[in-house]
Amino acid sequence: EYGGGWRNVLHFGNSYHERAPAIFFHPGTLKLHIRIGRTSEGWNWGCDPGNNLAAMKWSHIVVVSTEVYTKVYVNGELHAHCKANSPLLYDYHDVSVWASNPWSSALRGYIKDVQFYSSLKPSLVPKGTETKLYVSRT
């Protein structure tokens, strides 16, 4: 119902293996799969929330990565906090931004109000019900 393979939502990077970050859905689910390259852990290191997003509703997704952790917020609530053992692999300069990359199947849904900050303090993560990502069942 949600597609059999990996579904890409957003991808910051100039190739499939450059993920700074890349956001996917696990095959056949609405579970986020967040990948962010790290120097020791490699290009596919990640931090995945365990819950499915709600279908047919907008969700507000925030990914915050620092040199020591990545946090994923869904609708203003912390859903994943992953400690990293090495710095970020990419520095966000001269990086392509894809609304679904050309190497993976596309998200079956909509994206709006995408914002990127090279630095964001966790205290500034929006709290409220502002919406950003709509996932369709078709």
Side-chain angles (χ1 to χ4, degrees):
E1 166 172 22
Y2 299 113
W6 295 100
R7 298 281 178 189
N8 185 249
V9 179
L10 286 171
H11 191 120
F12 289 74
N14 297 318
S15 72
Y16 179 77
H17 292 102
E18 190 173 295
R19 297 174 176 182
I23 301 173
F24 298 86
F25 282 111
H26 283 271
T29 75
L30 294 179
K31 290 182 183 179
L32 291 170
H33 184 63
I34 314 295
R35 305 287 96 181
I36 301 167
R38 299 257 177 199
T39 56
S40 293
E41 290 94 336
W43 61 271
N44 202 36
W45 182 84
C47 188
D48 294 355
N51 299 335
N52 280 317
L53 294 182
M56 310 301 282
K57 292 186 178 182
W58 286 100
S59 297
H60 181 231
I61 310 300
V62 175
V63 178
V64 179
S65 285
T66 70
E67 295 297 317
V68 294
Y69 66 79
T70 292
K71 293 181 179 181
V72 181
Y73 295 84
V74 178
N75 297 325
E77 295 180 10
L78 181 65
H79 278 235
H81 179 184
C82 305
K83 185 180 181 314
N85 295 317
S86 63
L88 296 167
L89 188 57
Y90 307 105
D91 64 5
Y92 303 106
H93 295 285
D94 297 320
V95 174
S96 297
V97 178
W98 305 89
S100 186
N101 68 41
W103 312 286
S104 303
S105 296
L107 160 76
R108 291 180 179 171
Y110 303 93
I111 303 169
K112 71 175 186 175
D113 300 330
V114 175
Q115 299 175 20
F116 176 80
Y117 302 93
S118 60
S119 176
L120 178 65
K121 294 180 180 179
S123 62
L124 298 178
V125 172
K127 298 291 188 235
T129 59
E130 187 178 5
T131 58
K132 304 293 182 188
L133 178 65
Y134 182 87
V135 183
S136 168
R137 295 186 105 125
T138 59

